[in-house]
Amino acid sequence: MKVLIVKTSSMGDVIHTFPAFEDARRNRPDVSFDWCVEEAFAGIVALHPAIATIHTVAIRRWRTSPHGPSTWREAAALRRALRDCRYDLVIEAQGLLKSAVVAKLAAAPIAGFDRSSAREPSATLFYDRRYAVPRDLHAIERTRRLFGLALGYEPDFSGLESGIVPPAGGSTFVGEKTAFLLHGTSREDKKWPVGDWIETARLLVERGMTPVTTWSNDREKAVAEAIAEAVPRTVLVPKSPLAEIAAIIGRSALVIGADTGLAHLASAFGLPTVAVFLATEPGLTGPRGPFSSTLLAAPGSRVAPAEVIEEAERQLALKSQAAT
């Protein structure tokens, strides 16, 4: 049996799908899986060695020129590639109209959430099989339940495995004493103040750790440089491709991050991870991992660097205990 997974974006959503894929691999060894994902996140899907073929879609880019000849050529090429694979089933795990349209291109039966479960009920018009999954569950559990219903097994929720491995590479300084600081995030109200990042870096140095940080745009570069200037032992990684950053994160001892996709990646790698949430509720979409923790700012309050360091030390201790 050949199955296509459609989970196109965002980074966190893609990462949240890996535990469902691991369930499916264990319960349905007769099935081979491909994946269709936004081109920006193809490198994330590639972190799992068992994905046979990765198809890329460029909805975000196509929207800037929906009637352009290159858009039509690329969409037609994707349609041909998906149909040439002759899938027995498509699992549309996004629950959005845009991803349902992509799933339809494969010309195979589509399984997805039902109207009460999908993020956009209109997407279910494209599905051949619709399954009810409570919306008040974490995204990881929702996806695991969907895969189980679509493929005929009951997930074992006693464990949580992603199956992904860090890519080869990573700078030589990364190791037992490094802490990657992920200060960048998509919304201003999600950003921890630069002064708190500086204080966190200082506290890490006091504990014998080396802070590491990077950036992906000019605004993030200013924050990263401010941290490095205030705490000179901080290692500043230049703007780099996602695979290189993933390699460095995967070989770090600790990750402290804002509400960002890379914090989800660190959790999925099984690293001690502390995520600082300021404006969003992590209960349904926050990072999940064996040594992952989320600190949520109370209304009108803040998350202090000392709290973050205390929680980081707790997660490091848990990881150390698990290794013995």
Side-chain angles (χ1 to χ4, degrees):
M1 184 176 182
K2 196 171 184 179
V3 173
L4 174 69
I5 299 168
V6 175
K7 189 77 161 189
T8 58
S9 63
S10 59
M11 187 188 301
D13 289 341
V14 171
I15 293 166
H16 285 162
T17 307
F18 287 126
F21 176 58
E22 280 294 284
D23 291 341
R25 290 181 64 217
R26 285 192 298 270
N27 287 278
R28 292 297 305 269
D30 59 310
V31 178
S32 65
F33 293 90
D34 294 351
W35 198 310
C36 187
V37 65
E38 269 283 342
E39 56 186 2
F41 306 121
I44 297 296
V45 176
L47 296 175
H48 202 299
I51 300 295
T53 300
I54 301 172
H55 302 279
T56 59
V57 65
I59 295 173
R60 296 181 176 187
R61 180 165 51 80
W62 293 345
R63 281 175 174 168
T64 64
S65 181
H67 302 295
S70 62
T71 297
W72 285 97
R73 282 196 301 270
E74 291 178 22
L78 174 64
R79 180 177 179 272
R80 286 194 300 272
L82 293 177
R83 296 194 175 196
D84 286 348
C85 288
R86 299 183 181 278
Y87 293 108
D88 298 293
L89 179 68
V90 179
I91 300 179
E92 204 286 89
Q94 197 96 35
L96 297 178
L97 185 59
K98 66 177 183 179
S99 49
V101 171
V102 171
K104 195 69 175 177
L105 296 177
I110 303 172
F113 297 107
D114 71 2
R115 285 187 63 84
S116 65
S117 310
R119 291 161 64 186
E120 293 181 356
S122 58
T124 65
L125 296 173
F126 291 83
Y127 304 159
D128 301 282
R129 307 172 191 173
R130 303 170 183 87
Y131 300 102
V133 178
R135 296 196 64 171
D136 59 351
L137 302 175
H138 190 280
I140 291 175
E141 184 175 347
R142 276 171 46 82
T143 308
R144 293 178 76 178
R145 288 177 182 270
L146 174 63
F147 274 52
L149 291 166
L151 295 173
Y153 61 84
E154 181 66 30
D156 179 4
F157 294 108
S158 63
L160 180 65
E161 298 178 12
S162 71
I164 63 174
V165 294
S171 302
T172 56
F173 59 78
V174 174
E176 294 181 359
K177 295 290 187 177
T178 57
F180 208 119
L181 306 183
L182 298 169
H183 57 85
T185 188
S186 58
R187 282 169 36 189
E188 288 299 315
D189 59 351
K190 292 182 178 182
K191 293 182 179 179
W192 210 26
V194 62
D196 288 339
W197 285 111
I198 290 171
E199 176 65 8
T200 299
R202 185 185 66 78
L203 292 171
L204 288 167
V205 169
E206 286 182 1
R207 288 156 175 77
M209 299 195 76
T210 300
V212 180
T213 194
T214 189
W215 71 88
S216 62
N217 55 49
D218 289 342
R219 185 169 295 182
E220 291 178 9
K221 182 179 181 182
V223 174
E225 289 177 341
I227 297 170
E229 182 178 356
V231 185
R233 278 191 57 185
T234 300
V235 175
L236 198 56
V237 178
K239 180 179 179 180
S240 306
L242 179 58
E244 293 183 22
I245 298 301
I248 298 173
I249 289 173
R251 287 162 179 78
S252 298
L254 169 69
V255 174
I256 297 173
D259 179 5
T260 176
L262 290 174
H264 293 281
L265 182 63
S267 295
F269 281 150
L271 299 172
T273 305
V274 180
V276 179
F277 275 58
L278 303 179
T280 49
E281 170 56 52
L284 301 182
T285 58
R288 289 280 180 92
F291 310 106
S292 178
S293 179
T294 302
L295 296 180
L296 175 64
S301 184
R302 62 189 288 267
V303 176
E307 295 177 69
V308 173
I309 295 299
E310 181 181 359
E311 185 59 28
E313 290 179 325
R314 190 174 77 86
Q315 296 301 327
L316 286 166
L318 290 173
K319 178 72 178 288
S320 179
Q321 292 168 12
T324 58

